[in-house]
């Protein structure tokens, strides 16, 4: 039984684990093959909100296309930019387990 590092939170996981115990990120081939489309990466969501948040990229990624469209329609005002910065801070402060419960169990 070998130890690996979780790509999301860097804690150690064994070969037999499908989900990380700490952040519930998918591990191994199941995660790579996209077996569960509801498993989303908190790090990717945070980066999308930071760099492309004005256009609502993180909202589309997190499964909220209606809000993403609103961000996209009003991107010429600076309101979505401010909201995206707020979303980015929220995603950075959110515990991985809380992120999993809020964004990965929604449609399950
Ligand atoms: Zn993890």
């Amino acid at each position: 039984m070998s130890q690996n590092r979780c790509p999301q939170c860097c804690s150690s996981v064994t070969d037999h684990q499908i989900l990380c115990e700490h952040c519930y990120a998918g591990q191994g081939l199941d995660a790579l093959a996209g077996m569960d489309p509801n498993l989303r990466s908190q790090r990717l969501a945070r980066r999308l909100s930071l760099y492309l948040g004005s256009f609502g990229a993180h909202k589309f990624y997190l499964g909220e296309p209606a809000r993403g469209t609103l961000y996209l329609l009003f991107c010429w005002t600076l309101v979505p930019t401010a909201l995206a910065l707020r979303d980015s801070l929220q995603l950075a402060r959110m515990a991985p387990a809380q992120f999993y419960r809020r964004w990965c169990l929604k449609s399950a």
Side-chain angles (χ1 to χ4, degrees), residues 39-60:
L39 281 179
R40 297 182 172 104
S41 163
Q42 184 174 4
R43 183 184 298 173
L44 179 58
R46 197 175 65 219
R47 287 187 180 164
L48 283 173
S49 71
L50 200 56
Y51 299 120
L52 295 171
S54 302
F55 307 107
H58 62 298
K59 290 295 180 187
F60 288 109

Side-chain angles (χ1 to χ4, degrees), residues 6 9 11 20 23:
C6 170
C9 70
S11 66
C20 172
C23 69

Side-chain angles (χ1 to χ4, degrees), residues 12-83:
S12 67
V13 291
T14 63
D15 284 341
H16 306 295
Q17 286 180 281
I18 295 172
L19 293 176
C20 172
E21 291 175 347
H22 300 279
C23 69
Y24 302 102
Q27 305 294 314
L29 292 177
D30 288 343
L32 287 176
M35 298 276 289
D36 186 357
N38 292 320
L39 281 179
R40 297 182 172 104
S41 163
Q42 184 174 4
R43 183 184 298 173
L44 179 58
R46 197 175 65 219
R47 287 187 180 164
L48 283 173
S49 71
L50 200 56
Y51 299 120
L52 295 171
S54 302
F55 307 107
H58 62 298
K59 290 295 180 187
F60 288 109
Y61 177 68
L62 291 172
E64 291 189 336
R67 285 193 185 184
T69 305
L70 281 177
Y71 277 53
L72 196 58
L73 284 176
F74 292 101
C75 67
W76 57 274
T77 69
L78 292 177
V79 174
T81 306
L83 291 176

